[in-house]
Amino acid sequence: MKTQKLLLTFLKDSVDKPIVYHLVKDFDLITNIYRARITAEEKGSLILDITGSEENIDKGIAFIKEQGVTVDDAQKSFRWDEAVCTSCGNCLTHCPVNALHIQDTATMKVIFDSELCIDCLGCIDNCPYGACQSIFQE
Amino acid sequence: MKTYTEINEKIASKKAVVLTAAEIIDYVDKKGLEKAAKEVDVVTTATFGPMCSSGCFINFGHSTPKIRITEAWIDDVLAYSGIAAVDLFMGATQLRHNDPANLDYPGEFRFGGGHVIEKLIAGKELQLFALSYGTDEYPRREIRTTFTIHDLNQAIMVNPRNCYQNYNVAVNRSNRPLYTYMGMLKPNMGNVSYSSAGQLSPLLNDPLYKTIGIGTSVWLAGARGHVYAEGTQHTSDVLRSINGVPEEGAGTLALTGDMKEMDAEFIRGVSLKGYGVSMAVGVGIPIPVLNEEILKYTTIRDRDIKAQIIDYSYDYPNKTGKTLGSVTYEALKSGKISLMGKERETSSMSSYEKALKIANLLKGEIEDGTFLLTEPFKKLPVNQKMKSLFVKDGRS
């Protein structure tokens, strides 16, 4: 069993396809949706974890692609720009999973662990410098 | 005992021994105060964080025909023009024209004076729009053009209040979120926000202003700047503890420097949701180790520096003077403090990481013999109280 986090991008002709239903039913994958959005331009985005055997995950991803849906590493939805970050740390109490955290108290450098990020976007409103960005930003 | 002249001679011959205010702590622990005071010449201190009381004067030179500017906007941010014909002052907290501010609460405050100043220093192109009523010798009534810092005669940063000696620790005891200059404060003390470089901070390493005074050379965002006056709201008659280190706001510095020499990494526009725009400033200040007493002040460490916890939902806006107790920077930097029987997460508005970088950059410049120290020609006031504004029309 492994878990993989994905960012799916649906274009106009694929927004009405029940992809997640098929991932569960046809490929025996456990899904955990973090965030989904459909825009007025009929473009959809979905971030989810899929958990299952490696074989089923590969088959599931192949199926998604066959539906004309783009599959990316989920971190393409959220971007922490290290060059813009000043390591002030104002984000720290707004990140519930410590994806943004302090490296050590000697340097107080802020670092980002994308594996832990759940795309809650709590950091975005609370970064004074605009170092946190997401495709889900309003 | 050393003099400024002796230390500067060592710096000029690249023989000065320089340590950061973080390094000096262990060094003195190991060597002892007496020996360390003989060996070490300079301790570098630094801070980086939002400092609202900042801005700059710029001069454009004259167009043909000439204009005497009476209203001006740079990238749509209002600049003060009530000075000479083509001189302007851009303030860090000036909001861009047409920004809805808090009409749609909490507002985003994406762009303002601090961002304009950051763009200028980064060498980017900005737009000037200016108006005038026109005079005989300045007939032009409108100007719209683009420029960069290289087109300006002068771009001089002038910050009336930087380097607050210490600062409040903010919490929110109400049951709704608060949007403040200390960031978003969660209801029911759901987070704790502080803002100081602690043991690296300039005035915490010279708590009684023995070496930092008017005329002191400072590293201002990479430029060679100096202290031109006591900072606004400089208040030295405050609650002090170990080594005379204040437990609250206290002293401040007014700084100036040439923006053409600055690095945009250390001057950053700040957007604070629901509050407004500001500017983060990076400052480094060298402390000459003139004697053991001055060295002793620089060995202050986070666990010995306290700050007052203030409720920003009531006590701060209503100026009650009430505090919820004090806490050390060591505890604040650990990420969690215990307050009113509960563990609460902490975060900072000031960047210790950037402060450390600045302290090391300044250390490098002094070691290389390129940054000499200046003896202040006037001391900062040591027993000054803060005045309040009394409203005389009968309303409180």
Side-chain angles (χ1 to χ4, degrees):
Chain A
M1 292 284 269
K2 75 167 199 179
T3 298
Q4 197 165 339
K5 201 168 169 191
L6 303 174
L7 164 65
L8 308 186
T9 308
F10 300 73
L11 294 176
K12 192 174 178 178
D13 52 357
S14 55
V15 282
D16 55 352
K17 289 179 181 162
I19 303 269
V20 177
Y21 167 82
H22 287 291
L23 291 179
V24 176
K25 190 151 189 301
D26 305 346
F27 302 99
D28 194 24
L29 293 169
I30 300 163
T31 60
N32 187 13
I33 296 173
Y34 292 101
R35 194 169 279 275
R37 183 173 78 161
I38 184 161
T39 65
E41 293 80 39
E42 290 195 39
K43 186 186 164 197
S45 304
L46 174 67
I47 293 189
L48 77 169
D49 265 352
I50 52 174
T51 303
S53 70
E54 206 151 319
E55 191 191 347
N56 282 346
I57 286 178
D58 289 344
K59 282 185 184 166
I61 290 174
F63 164 77
I64 300 168
K65 288 178 178 166
E66 280 164 24
Q67 309 307 308
V69 173
T70 313
V71 185
D72 278 311
D73 177 318
Q75 276 331 120
K76 288 202 173 158
S77 68
F78 175 80
R79 201 168 66 98
W80 172 69
D81 192 335
E82 189 172 1
V84 175
C85 176
T86 68
S87 282
C88 68
N90 187 47
C91 54
L92 299 176
T93 58
H94 302 284
C95 179
V97 291
N98 291 326
L100 285 156
H101 59 278
I102 291 288
Q103 187 174 282
D104 57 75
T105 51
T107 64
M108 295 302 282
K109 181 170 170 49
V110 171
I111 50 176
F112 175 64
D113 183 345
S114 62
E115 294 290 314
L116 298 174
C117 177
I118 56 166
D119 273 278
C120 73
L121 312 187
C123 53
I124 292 178
D125 279 348
N126 290 290
C127 177
Y129 304 95
C132 301
Q133 288 179 354
S134 165
I135 59 163
F136 290 103
Q137 230 163 322
E138 289 306 319
Chain B
M1 291 285 275
K2 291 187 208 110
T3 64
Y4 279 88
T5 312
E6 284 163 2
I7 293 172
N8 275 338
E9 279 166 6
K10 282 184 85 176
I11 295 172
S13 58
K14 302 187 187 186
K15 284 180 187 150
V17 178
V18 190
L19 270 76
T20 68
E23 293 165 338
I24 196 70
I25 298 168
D26 287 344
Y27 192 86
V28 170
D29 265 358
K30 210 165 67 187
K31 299 255 178 169
L33 200 61
E34 193 183 343
K35 201 164 174 218
K38 286 196 183 102
E39 288 176 6
V40 181
D41 300 303
V42 184
V43 174
T44 60
T45 66
T47 185
F48 177 94
M51 302 187 196
C52 287
S53 189
S54 298
C56 66
F57 284 100
I58 57 178
N59 175 281
F60 283 94
H62 283 287
S63 58
T64 308
K66 289 183 178 179
I67 185 170
R68 179 190 176 284
I69 296 173
T70 54
E71 287 173 276
W73 294 262
I74 298 172
D75 274 11
D76 294 335
V77 180
L78 184 74
Y80 181 75
S81 58
I83 36 180
V86 289
D87 283 344
L88 295 177
F89 178 79
M90 175 57 70
T93 67
Q94 187 71 48
L95 195 52
R96 180 165 54 187
H97 182 66
N98 275 340
D99 189 295
N102 265 341
L103 283 177
D104 186 11
Y105 177 84
E108 292 188 344
F109 301 98
R110 289 196 179 168
F111 193 85
H115 299 87
V116 167
I117 295 169
E118 177 186 337
K119 276 182 79 175
L120 257 177
I121 293 169
K124 292 185 179 157
E125 193 171 77
L126 294 113
Q127 181 191 245
L128 168 70
F129 176 56
L131 299 172
S132 174
Y133 49 76
T135 69
D136 290 339
E137 75 277 52
Y138 297 107
R140 186 191 281 272
R141 294 186 55 183
E142 188 179 323
I143 201 162
R144 189 186 289 276
T145 186
T146 58
F147 69 99
T148 72
I149 194 167
H150 310 296
D151 301 320
L152 300 174
N153 288 313
Q154 284 79 27
I156 309 292
M157 187 166 286
V158 179
N159 304 342
R161 180 165 75 253
N162 281 180
C163 300
Y164 235 123
Q165 194 161 16
N166 201 342
Y167 213 77
N168 296 338
V169 176
V171 293
N172 169 15
R173 293 184 79 185
S174 79
N175 55 15
R176 70 168 182 94
L178 296 179
Y179 296 89
T180 75
Y181 64 79
M182 294 296 278
M184 195 267 254
L185 301 174
K186 298 183 190 180
N188 306 310
M189 298 189 284
N191 62 347
V192 176
S193 179
Y194 67 99
S195 189
S196 172
Q199 65 191 17
L200 267 184
S201 189
L203 290 176
L204 289 173
N205 283 281
D206 185 8
L208 302 169
Y209 328 111
K210 303 257 181 190
T211 69
I212 302 173
I214 300 166
T216 296
S217 275
V218 305
W219 187 102
L220 184 55
R224 190 68 37 81
H226 66 269
V227 179
Y228 72 83
E230 65 182 77
T232 53
Q233 287 176 206
H234 175 85
T235 312
S236 35
D237 183 11
V238 295
L239 178 66
R240 289 175 187 265
S241 54
I242 189 166
N243 280 356
V245 168
E247 286 192 24
E248 52 186 320
T252 67
L253 301 174
L255 304 180
T256 183
D258 187 345
M259 283 160 62
K260 293 193 182 195
E261 295 171 12
M262 290 183 187
D263 179 343
E265 181 185 346
F266 303 103
I267 295 290
R268 302 285 295 278
V270 167
S271 298
L272 292 161
K273 190 174 174 117
Y275 173 75
V277 287
S278 185
M279 187 170 93
V281 180
V283 184
I285 304 186
I287 295 180
V289 181
L290 301 174
N291 54 49
E292 287 173 32
E293 184 198 359
I294 283 164
L295 180 64
K296 187 166 190 294
Y297 291 130
T298 67
T299 59
I300 192 80
R301 58 187 87 207
D302 285 330
R303 69 166 180 252
D304 295 327
I305 310 169
K306 286 181 187 165
Q308 302 286 321
I309 304 167
I310 311 279
D311 174 18
Y312 272 58
S313 74
Y314 188 82
D315 294 319
Y316 183 86
N318 293 301
K319 209 166 166 282
T320 67
K322 194 182 154 200
T323 78
L324 305 176
S326 62
V327 61
T328 69
Y329 283 103
E330 184 181 56
L332 289 164
K333 279 169 72 179
S334 77
K336 279 193 184 92
I337 63 162
S338 176
L339 177 61
M340 293 186 149
K342 234 180 128 176
E343 281 226 315
R344 304 179 197 272
E345 282 192 297
T346 62
S347 65
S348 171
M349 287 304 303
S350 159
S351 170
Y352 185 86
E353 193 250 359
K354 277 262 189 284
L356 199 56
K357 187 171 182 179
I358 293 166
N360 278 304
L361 284 169
L362 176 57
K363 176 183 168 177
E365 289 182 27
I366 297 170
E367 284 172 341
D368 292 345
T370 57
F371 194 111
L372 294 175
L373 311 191
T374 320
E375 185 170 0
F377 57 83
K378 192 178 170 193
K379 297 262 184 210
L380 294 169
V382 287
N383 280 310
Q384 188 159 282
K385 288 185 164 51
M386 169 112 92
K387 287 180 179 145
S388 291
L389 177 63
F390 293 100
V391 184
K392 290 172 184 162
D393 68 355
R395 282 177 284 181
S396 59

